[in-house]
Amino acid sequence: MSIDQNIQEINRTMWSYGEYRHVADLLRPGAVELVGRLAPAPGTAHLDVATGNGNVALLSALRGCRVTGLDLTDEFFPDARERFAEAGVEVELHRGDAQELPFEDISFDLVTSTYGIQFAPDHAAAGGEIDRVLRPGGRIGMCNWTARSWTAHFQAILSSYFPSPNGHQGQPMLWGSPDYLAELLGPGFTVTAERRELFYPFDAAEDLVAFFENCFGPCIAARNTISPASRWKELRAEMVEMTEGFHTTDERGTGVPVEYLLVVAEKRAAR
């Protein structure tokens, strides 16, 4: 396929802002659960798409897998390499696009993505690329935000102030639907999925919004480019109000539960 280079560069720049490693800390429990569910065997050829600073890649490498990480931006790689070195593991890192993977056909036994590949503009291309590089009998593991999650509402507010550019052909939260994934991946895959939750431990809705305002690339990009600047106060107020609707106190403490879909899809073996 032909990737729109302007959109790719916009996305690459947007995701490079902020202190993503702090956001990755919030997402780590999902990575732990996914890798535990997959339980990849030593020697597994594993591609982690939208690897960020390596949450999943690190856990898989510690199991003895041969891990390759790919991300649209390499801004996260120094942090990832430091984590890998501290753990005494090796992971090969590549900058690249999920819609055009720079790997040969049937190169991997396992392909994963946690909260990342669903933001690729062209869903069909991203799904087709996973299929292309995955060996028959291989598996896909994903954590994807659902349409009713706090993240979906957060993204909806951002999108209402910043409409998607031409070429954004799919809505990210569709990847949080098992039926949509089954259709996207096609009859060559068996898809199983389960709704799960992360928990963001913030004492107040205001604290969570402030955290994302300072650490999360798309939020920082929105704040830096919104015009007039006074509209940021409107957008931020909407985010705080929305977050208050999710904010709760339970046995986990005080914070915001964030729903996601844990997905394992198996590619049928060739006959």
Side-chain angles (χ1 to χ4, degrees):
M1 65 163 288
S2 176
I3 296 176
D4 187 313
Q5 298 297 322
N6 290 329
I7 293 176
Q8 185 186 58
E9 191 58 35
I10 289 170
N11 286 337
R12 179 179 293 130
T13 301
M14 176 181 69
W15 286 102
S16 70
Y17 291 143
E19 296 288 340
Y20 180 78
R21 67 182 184 275
H22 299 311
V23 179
D25 288 342
L26 294 179
L27 307 182
R28 188 172 298 133
V32 171
E33 182 155 17
L34 180 65
V35 175
R37 187 72 57 89
L38 292 165
T44 296
H46 176 189
L47 171 64
D48 187 41
V49 177
T51 195
N53 71 339
N55 276 345
V56 167
L58 175 58
L59 293 169
S60 182
L62 286 170
R63 287 175 172 262
C65 298
R66 294 183 288 110
V67 186
T68 300
L70 175 134
D71 206 283
L72 188 62
T73 174
D74 55 9
E75 294 290 331
F76 313 134
F77 289 175
D79 184 33
R81 291 191 176 101
E82 183 176 341
R83 296 177 71 194
F84 301 151
E86 289 177 355
V89 298
E90 293 186 5
V91 175
E92 185 178 316
L93 294 174
H94 295 262
R95 191 177 86 165
D97 197 304
Q99 302 162 124
E100 195 172 66
L101 296 175
F103 308 110
E104 298 294 328
D105 296 355
I106 57 173
S107 298
F108 297 97
D109 305 306
L110 174 66
V111 179
T112 59
S113 184
T114 48
Y115 320 106
I117 197 171
Q118 70 185 111
F119 292 98
D122 190 328
H123 293 187
E129 281 293 271
I130 294 176
D131 185 9
R132 180 181 65 79
V133 302
L134 188 64
R135 293 168 181 152
R139 293 181 297 165
I140 302 168
M142 293 184 287
C143 295
N144 297 328
W145 305 122
T146 66
R148 66 187 188 186
S149 66
W150 174 86
T151 305
H153 288 73
F154 175 91
Q155 294 290 340
I157 292 172
L158 279 181
S159 297
S160 71
Y161 285 80
F162 296 88
S164 299
N166 292 336
H168 199 304
Q169 300 170 15
Q171 296 304 312
M173 304 310 155
L174 288 172
W175 289 71
S177 163
D179 291 341
Y180 180 77
L181 288 177
E183 181 179 353
L184 178 67
L185 295 174
F189 286 85
T190 300
V191 177
T192 59
E194 177 184 351
R195 294 183 186 274
R196 305 292 294 166
E197 279 188 352
L198 296 179
F199 191 77
Y200 293 170
F202 290 85
D203 289 338
E206 164 68 29
D207 297 335
L208 176 54
V209 172
F211 172 85
F212 272 78
E213 181 182 24
N214 289 291
C215 295
F216 186 58
C219 201
I220 295 170
R223 185 187 63 194
N224 289 347
T225 59
I226 198 166
S227 181
S230 60
R231 294 188 72 220
W232 179 251
K233 292 184 179 180
E234 300 171 17
L235 185 156
R236 197 180 186 285
E238 285 190 40
M239 285 189 173
V240 172
E241 181 179 8
M242 176 275 293
T243 301
E244 287 172 346
F246 284 87
H247 201 254
T248 189
T249 298
D250 58 24
E251 67 278 1
R252 296 169 292 187
T254 299
V256 172
V258 189
E259 186 181 81
Y260 68 93
L261 193 73
L262 190 151
V263 180
V264 177
E266 185 170 346
K267 185 174 183 178
R268 292 188 173 92
R271 297 187 179 183

